[in-house]
Amino acid sequence: MDPAGTPPAARYQLLGPVEVRSARGERLALGTPMQVRLLAVLMSQPGTGWSIDQLVDELWQGRPPKTAAGNVKTYVWALRRALRSPGFPDPAILAGPTGYRLALDGLTVDSVAFDDLAQRGYSALRQGHWSAAQESFEAALALWRGEPFAGLPGWGVLLSVRARLQEQRSSLAEEVADLHLRAGRHHELIEPLRSQVDDDPLRERPWGQLMVALARTGRRADALATYRQLRHLLAEEVGVEPGPDLQHLHTRILRAERELLTSDPRPPERSAPRIVPRQLPAPPTVFTGRAAELARLTTLLLGDSRSASTVVITGTGGVGKSWLALRWAHDNLRHFPDGQLHVDLGGFGTATQEASPSAVVVRSLLPALGVKPLEIPAEPAAQFALYRSLTADRRLLVLLDNARDAEQVRPLLPGATGCGVLVTSRHTLPGLVAADGAHPLALDLPNDDEARQLLVRRLGAQRATAQPAAVDELIRRTARLPLALSIVAARAAARPTFPLQAIADDLAASRGGLAALATDDAATDVRTVLSWSYRLLSADAARLFRQISLHPAADVSAAAAASLAGAPPHLIRPALDELTRSNLLAEPSPNRFHCHDLLRAYGEELTHALDRPADRSAVRARVLDHYLCVARDAARLVDPGWQPLDPPPPPTDASPSAFADHRAALAWFIIEQRVLLAAVDDAVAHSFDARAGHLAQALTPLLSRLSQWHDLAAVQAIAVTVAHRRGDPRAEALAHRDLALAHIQHRRFGAAHHHLRRAMARYDQAGDLPGQASTHLHLAWLSDIEDDAGAALPHASQALALASSTDDRLGEAAALNALGWSHARLNEHTRAITFCEQALARYEEAEDRLGAAHTWDSLGFAYQGLGKHPTAADCYRRALALYSHVQDPCGRADTLVRLGDTHQAVGDHDTSVDLWRQALAILDRVGHPQATVLSERLEAYR
């Protein structure tokens, strides 16, 4: 006993064979194997009460003898005697209202001490205390004497706790390896890491650590061979490639990156900073003058109080409204600590590019404020209300660029007086000034001195000073319009040997103008400046400039530009470079170009004047076919079961190479999403109805994978209209079906039923049996979501009959899985398993990993219903691996929830809560409505 008279603490050990030892290290005799197992169950969750019935289930796994309850009481009595040996005066097993429990100080159980040391280590790691972290981790690992509960049969709670502890031990060993690598002890790690990957070959992190250790010891060839070994193993065992982290590490080793060979590959953990939107484009690189206007903006937007306001900057196109707004915004960032929002409203671009307020809120503002796609309401009024609510307690700067009218701006005004709003427009927006209290700021042309400063900064003081008369004429000929001045300056800077007077004379000789920018004073006609730049282009660049003006969006990739021209990308690259040098295109990122809306308008004027209607139509058709071909390739990779209604257009020389995998396809779609949506609008506007419908169809799996349900609803509504106009019942049916999908995700079940009925009617009209089968599957899914499994079952049965009649193997697989799921929901689990196994065979035959993931999840649910929890858990883990491979976060979240339910059913509360938390993180990230339900469940376990 210690000086205070407290008995020495016993040590309860389960990290190895189950043992109880005195403070002097003496091992107690615990009795029969059943008594040891009973003690192990109590030790697995110290302090938790176990009823007699629960202990009977754990000890005999559903096959107890008639005397089981009495036997449990006998085992408890015997254990109490064993634990009341000298030095243990009080029984550790107590009886209470919830049953028997092990009443111990937590840290006397080695698994609890292990958890405590691990948490201390992670805390030290987060604070950057590497030595303390390593000490805690190694002390935790030193508690292990072998496999948890060694020698006891692995079922029930012992199985799940054993799996959880082994996972934690592996993670800690990996953390220790990272710390050794950080400390430069890579030589000592190679053999332990080899043993680790041999013991658990599917854990990728130790393979990566082994690769780093080998590389740092000068054995790069062995490191690369290790990667090849893992790649072969994964391909053989689970049919997947190593994860992106290992792929990146492999590339770094190939490059022999010095940082990898000399420092820790993983940066220190830091707490995540508070995220605020920072959407402002870069400030103008050349900005002079406008001092009075900048001061006026400061007075109007900041003044003497904390209340900001709305300012409308108006003026002609090219006068520098956006430059002024951006210059002021960047100079005053400190006054808006909660962030800055920026939207180009496209009010004076092409008609298909004008942004509706609802589209701006859904696609830009709400996501920037942290709202996930599925959290965005379906109705515009609710979207605007949510936007106002989110801005009500923030001090933001909102820059609404290129507005057409007050109606476009008014719904986008924040809900707080502390927010500042800058609006730029070529119109004066008197309604916004009169009704909403906005302050107008009319931006005139810069004066002569400011215009001269701009030219001097672009041309250099020496050249401008040497030719002052020519500079004055350039200023006069460009009417001091900043855009025109910039174009002239770029032309002169690109030809440093040209006399400035020659450039001024050339400008004077050119006439023309953009009708939209015409004024009473012919000197302010920008068309002269733009036509002068255009006339200096080569024939190929001039033709490409006209063709780019027909592109459906201001941003265009090199591949899309090649499709406009009908030539391979390498042949049009010189023309793209020429347009970029002439400031008729910008290249903000490699192989991606932007054409200012004034220049696009000018290009459209030129193509209507110089090119035949048939040629313009052919240009539009080519770029639409390009997007259709690439979108279809991406859709097939993202959803292997997806098939287009009609054959794709013939490939052209501009067609890109195939995507490497579905990850590359999704990355491409994320970049091109806005362009593709604009392409659908543009196709309809120019009577390419069939292409509009086909492109909308190809976007369905891509938008669905990213949970972009608002955009899916918009494009499928267009698809319904054009299909009806064309009298194509199959296309109309498909559009109705995909529109129903968007409504289901928005929980608008009445609208979903309506469109599915319309889809079924059109498929019936067309005699399309696979389409009818697919619609029945959607109806089954809708019924299941409405919690009516009985109604789902006949739809799934009908889908199977229709798919079988057309020998549609993937259709059969989907229907069989739906049947299995419905039977499981009706507690007919054995029948469910039969159907799901048939579905799985078909999916594996077709190498459809997404379908196989869905089916493994269904099998897990069925086995869970039968009480076969280890089998259910194995099915769920197979589903999780496949969902990770195909990058389906929502499917992974659903399966994590059900795997958590399985662990909960066997009493493993810690693991179940951890799995639910993982699922909640995913659902929160995508804004899924089930996140609220799961969050409430987790609250109950706090």
Side-chain angles (χ1 to χ4, degrees), residues 116 277 372 383-384 392 438 467 482 487 509 553 584 633 637 648 675 679 763 813 817 846:
D116 179 71
K372 309 302 187 300
Q383 295 164 2
F384 301 145
Q467 305 174 69
I487 294 173
L584 294 173
D633 287 345
L637 284 169
V675 176
Y763 277 133
N817 184 42

Side-chain angles (χ1 to χ4, degrees), residues 712-736:
L712 180 63
V715 296
Q716 294 309 323
I718 292 172
V720 167
T721 299
V722 297
H724 182 75
R725 192 157 62 204
R726 293 172 56 224
D728 185 341
R730 291 180 69 226
E732 186 178 352
L734 180 59
H736 277 296

Side-chain angles (χ1 to χ4, degrees), residues 810-895:
L810 283 177
E812 287 179 348
L816 287 164
N817 184 42
L819 277 169
W821 177 263
S822 297
H823 279 294
R825 291 267 284 156
L826 293 169
N827 295 322
E828 298 169 359
H829 304 297
T830 303
R831 295 191 68 188
I833 291 169
T834 300
F835 284 119
C836 289
E837 288 175 343
Q838 295 176 49
L840 186 61
R842 286 163 172 78
Y843 279 132
E844 291 180 341
E845 175 184 86
E847 297 183 354
D848 185 335
R849 290 188 175 94
L850 180 60
H854 293 328
T855 308
W856 278 115
D857 178 74
S858 300
L859 280 167
F861 185 68
Y863 279 112
Q864 184 176 334
L866 289 173
K868 297 183 177 181
H869 302 300
T871 305
D874 181 64
C875 293
Y876 286 140
R877 291 189 186 97
R878 289 173 180 266
L880 289 173
L882 291 166
Y883 280 133
S884 295
H885 178 75
V886 301
Q887 293 183 297
D888 186 340
C890 289
R892 181 172 172 80
D894 288 342
T895 300

Side-chain angles (χ1 to χ4, degrees), residues 287-296 450:
F287 185 90
T288 59
R290 302 297 195 191
E293 289 84 356
L294 289 169
R296 179 65 175 157
E450 291 174 330

Side-chain angles (χ1 to χ4, degrees), residues 631-654:
R632 283 179 164 179
D633 287 345
R636 288 190 188 95
L637 284 169
V638 170
D639 183 358
W642 179 86
Q643 289 295 330
L645 279 179
D646 300 303
T652 69
D653 290 338

